[in-house]
Amino acid sequence: MLEVSELFIYPIKSLGGIAVQQTFLTDRGFQYDRRWLLVDDNNIFLTQRDNPKMALLQTVLGDTGLSVFQKHNPNQSLHIPFDLMSTETVSVTIWEDTCLAQLVNPEVDQWFSQALNMNCHLVYMPDHSRREVDPRYATQNELTSFSDGYPTLIIGQASLDDLNARLPTPVPINRFRPNIVFTGGQPYEEDKLTAFQIKGINFSGVKLCGRCMITTINQETAETGKDPLRTLAGYRLQNNNVMFGMNLLHEGTGWISVGDLLIQH
């Protein structure tokens, strides 16, 4: 029996994620997940690959907006009301995609620029901005947010346990930034999850997730190392990419909760 054990959203791409007990699945992923993005002065997306200090900024979801604080200095905080977004729009670049985004606020930009010691701007993806997933893997012109490429990512707890048994120092699941974690099954069970349901919503596993150096960044200290990427490369290498986790597409919308079952087709 496969069962949802953890759910995560990452409202601002590459900042600290939020564990939730339930969340609403929209047409482009979990509600609020990666709807905000930090960009540089050329409107090109920023992640921990560019600045590991992004790991030290934690997001918190509230009723009226989003809060961000520095993990080691919680007094260094910022509140971003949901209705703060400017009417000014810009074209932003994320990987090979260009899509429309709303500027948030110059004061917000200043806060992030100081926190990260670099010029940056916060933008938001409005509902009318449509970013489609890679057509090589899409089935119905599916959408995604400012994720790396797909609406959701799933990882089995057994896979993490197997990896940690091989590592000199175990790592937490936050190194891999999944949306859905499940228990049950064998290690790397997600590799075979080509078609399943959660709460009557159809999911399809379309592409294994190639991992990058972000997995080597300690999310509490922003320090970098060689693992777990080095260890994973010893047994999870495909076409020179280290694979861990499965990218998902889905049909339909609805609530998903910890404890829900994954029903394989």
Side-chain angles (χ1 to χ4, degrees):
M1 185 172 67
L2 308 183
E3 182 177 311
V4 175
S5 56
E6 295 180 281
L7 295 167
F8 295 95
I9 59 173
Y10 309 87
I12 301 177
K13 183 178 179 66
S14 231
L15 269 55
I18 303 170
V20 295
Q21 287 298 301
Q22 65 172 2
T23 184
F24 189 79
L25 183 65
T26 74
D27 60 347
R28 68 192 73 195
F30 288 156
Q31 188 175 25
Y32 304 118
D33 186 50
R34 298 175 175 96
R35 293 299 289 267
W36 288 264
L37 176 73
L38 286 166
V39 297
D40 65 15
D41 286 335
N42 296 312
N43 293 327
I44 297 172
F45 80 116
L46 296 171
T47 72
Q48 291 179 33
R49 302 172 188 86
D50 310 291
N51 191 332
K53 285 184 179 179
M54 293 174 74
L56 302 181
L57 298 181
Q58 178 63 47
T59 52
V60 179
L61 198 59
D63 293 335
T64 61
L66 196 62
S67 295
V68 183
F69 65 88
Q70 220 282 351
K71 290 180 180 179
H72 301 302
N73 182 14
N75 292 326
Q76 185 181 343
S77 62
L78 169 72
H79 182 65
I80 308 167
F82 291 138
D83 59 4
L84 186 64
M85 267 61 76
S86 161
T87 56
E88 186 178 353
T89 58
V90 293
S91 290
V92 299
T93 300
I94 173 167
W95 297 116
E96 291 81 26
D97 297 334
T98 300
C99 54
L100 196 68
Q102 288 176 265
L103 294 172
V104 174
N105 181 279
E107 293 180 6
V108 169
D109 295 347
Q110 185 178 12
W111 188 92
F112 279 109
S113 296
Q114 290 178 348
L116 296 172
N117 295 317
M118 64 181 297
N119 280 351
C120 55
H121 312 274
L122 186 68
V123 299
Y124 174 77
M125 177 182 281
D127 288 342
H128 61 79
S129 178
R130 298 176 63 83
R131 179 181 174 224
E132 295 185 359
V133 304
D134 188 330
R136 292 175 297 174
Y137 300 96
T139 58
Q140 300 181 53
N141 300 316
E142 287 91 350
L143 301 177
T144 188
S145 59
F146 289 130
S147 70
D148 272 353
Y150 298 87
T152 51
L153 172 70
I154 192 168
I155 294 175
Q157 180 64 43
S159 304
L160 180 65
D161 294 344
D162 180 79
L163 167 62
N164 279 333
R166 304 166 187 260
L167 290 174
T169 304
V171 297
I173 195 67
N174 65 12
R175 294 290 187 98
F176 301 100
R177 306 179 72 79
N179 296 110
I180 303 170
V181 182
F182 68 92
T183 54
Q186 300 300 311
Y188 316 104
E189 187 84 20
E190 60 271 21
D191 292 6
K192 302 177 288 184
L193 287 180
T194 54
F196 64 97
Q197 285 189 347
I198 302 177
K199 280 280 187 68
I201 300 171
N202 290 320
F203 288 86
S204 53
V206 293
K207 184 177 183 291
L208 290 174
C209 184
R211 308 315 308 216
C212 70
M213 59 83 65
I214 289 180
T215 61
T216 69
I217 300 172
N218 185 315
Q219 297 295 296
E220 303 307 317
T221 66
E223 295 173 346
T224 60
K226 295 186 182 300
D227 269 322
L229 210 54
R230 175 176 57 186
T231 295
L232 281 168
Y235 72 107
R236 293 287 296 174
L237 200 63
Q238 293 186 17
N239 299 320
N240 290 321
N241 289 312
V242 173
M243 302 299 189
F244 194 81
M246 175 67 82
N247 289 301
L248 303 177
L249 299 178
H250 64 277
E251 289 181 54
T253 61
W255 289 94
I256 291 179
S257 305
V258 169
D260 287 344
L261 297 182
L262 282 70
I263 309 299
Q264 297 189 65
H265 292 183

